[in-house]
Amino acid sequence: MTVQTIPAKNIIFKTQSPDAWFGIDYNMNIYRGCPHGCIYCDSRSDCFNTPDFDTVKVKENALEIIRNDLRRKVKTGVIGTGSMSDPYNPLEKELKQTRNALDLINAYGFGVSLLTKSSLVARDADILKDIQTHSPTKVKFTITTADDDLCKKLEPNTATSSQRFEAMSSLTAQGIYCGVLILPLLPYVNDTQENIIKILRMTKDAGGKFVYTYMGMTLRIGSREYYYSHLDNILPGIKEKYMKHFGIRRTCLSQNRKKLWGVFTAECDRLGLLYDMKAITHHYKAGYENNQLTLF
């Protein structure tokens, strides 16, 4: 297996506002690029300067750098990963960089918040259970559609939605805190009442504790062109609706967002699923407040 690498000085960085995104204190990305091929991915945008985004590269000496980064942190906290590159991309099955990083996170007393579209995360349940004994631990699955056929059109190289729910069921059966992000909600594509309700019920059945969503998507220069070119192939005529209603706007909100939000919150309340970010953060961190102190 040929693996491309890129140099790195640091891998774990302090977030500017820990309360802004699920209470994450640090960000970590071991890989750069993503092979999932999701047609809507915002990380393709020109502003992120990743022209060969579909090619996954590994940061050189990643585990040594992570160990040194953790040693230098004065305060422990929750380390998030998956924001720019899926930590469970296909290379991870053999390289086990994410798994080994979790071992280090566990050893140094940090918590973790994983975001993935892969079922491979279930492999690391043993380490996640260990981390959860001392620090907040959370696995977030991005699931945009309950329909596996549509999933393979929107996210062609990922695990199907049903496979992600199977992985979630495996993790929650072992006591690991999990939930779903319905992100993005694509206007005219997956922004339907039926889709939202199905995802919520499947989350509940899989043991998930929360579902978070945003009633729209982001389209920036670079990602917009990619999205439009693929929409033409899989859903002819939809691109013209975007061009008519959104033009070159960066934020594209569902035309049915008010009604859908009402359906979403009512069904979450009925099922006992959390959907407010502050409530989710409080819930998965409950009981750990006194553990996140200074290191050694």
Side-chain angles (χ1 to χ4, degrees):
M1 177 177 59
T2 302
V3 179
Q4 296 188 40
T5 62
I6 54 173
K9 293 183 179 179
N10 300 99
I11 293 178
I12 298 177
F13 297 91
K14 190 83 172 68
T15 59
Q16 293 183 349
S17 179
D19 294 331
W21 188 249
F22 293 103
I24 293 172
D25 302 288
Y26 303 95
N27 278 320
M28 175 183 77
N29 283 295
I30 300 172
Y31 299 96
R32 185 173 183 179
C34 184
H36 287 340
C38 302
I39 71 170
Y40 52 73
C41 185
D42 183 56
S43 295
R44 293 182 182 278
S45 302
D46 290 355
C47 61
F48 295 116
N49 193 30
T50 313
D52 53 348
F53 182 72
D54 293 295
T55 301
V56 180
K57 299 177 182 179
V58 185
K59 294 181 180 178
E60 296 173 358
N61 304 313
L63 298 176
E64 180 181 349
I65 294 171
I66 289 170
R67 182 182 292 108
N68 291 335
D69 284 347
L70 292 172
R71 285 174 176 168
R72 285 193 289 264
K73 303 305 180 189
V74 175
K75 188 176 181 180
T76 58
V78 175
I79 298 174
T81 187
S83 59
M84 292 295 293
S85 179
D86 197 312
Y88 290 97
N89 66 73
L91 290 182
E92 171 61 21
K93 187 172 183 179
E94 293 187 42
L95 297 183
K96 298 182 178 179
Q97 294 286 86
T98 297
R99 180 174 175 84
N100 291 327
L102 290 176
D103 268 330
L104 290 171
I105 288 169
N106 185 28
Y108 281 89
F110 285 74
V112 68
S113 177
L114 297 169
L115 174 61
T116 185
K117 292 178 182 173
S118 172
S119 59
L120 183 59
V121 62
R123 176 200 66 185
D124 295 338
D126 56 334
I127 306 176
L128 294 173
K129 286 193 293 183
D130 281 347
I131 296 173
Q132 196 165 259
T133 62
H134 58 75
S135 299
T137 303
K138 177 174 79 282
V139 177
K140 307 186 297 291
F141 289 89
T142 298
I143 297 177
T144 58
T145 174
D147 184 336
D148 280 352
D149 290 335
L150 180 58
C151 172
K152 296 309 293 183
K153 293 178 181 179
L154 300 178
E155 306 152 357
N157 304 321
T158 64
T160 61
S161 297
S162 59
Q163 289 171 330
R164 292 175 225 173
F165 277 120
E166 289 174 8
M168 185 189 303
S169 294
S170 175
L171 291 172
T172 59
Q174 298 176 73
I176 296 169
Y177 194 94
C178 296
V180 164
L181 304 189
I182 309 178
L183 294 174
L185 204 64
L186 309 170
Y188 315 114
V189 179
N190 66 341
D191 60 336
T192 68
Q193 178 175 322
E194 179 185 25
N195 182 49
I196 289 173
I197 289 176
K198 282 186 177 180
I199 291 175
L200 294 178
R201 293 177 181 175
M202 293 171 80
T203 301
K204 181 67 175 181
D205 290 343
K209 303 296 185 185
F210 66 90
V211 178
Y212 182 81
T213 192
Y214 172 73
M215 295 292 162
M217 69 179 302
T218 298
L219 280 180
R220 296 187 250 209
I221 296 174
S223 62
R224 180 187 295 114
E225 291 77 6
Y226 189 89
Y227 182 58
Y228 281 176
S229 67
H230 284 74
L231 272 181
D232 273 343
N233 291 329
I234 65 173
L235 295 169
I238 299 297
K239 180 184 75 173
E240 284 70 28
K241 291 185 178 181
Y242 275 82
M243 296 174 70
K244 176 181 178 181
H245 290 287
F246 304 118
I248 60 171
R249 276 181 280 176
R250 169 180 166 179
T251 302
C252 304
L253 297 176
S254 171
Q255 303 296 295
N256 302 317
R257 59 188 178 276
K258 290 184 179 180
K259 179 181 179 180
L260 291 176
W261 181 253
V263 170
F264 171 76
T265 55
E267 187 68 3
C268 281
D269 288 339
R270 189 185 74 81
L271 295 172
L273 294 170
L274 298 173
Y275 55 86
D276 176 76
M277 189 177 293
K278 288 184 178 179
I280 296 166
T281 300
H282 174 77
H283 196 227
Y284 91 91
K285 286 190 171 185
Y288 294 106
E289 290 81 358
N290 295 328
N291 292 354
Q292 304 300 293
L293 301 175
T294 57
L295 285 171
F296 318 123

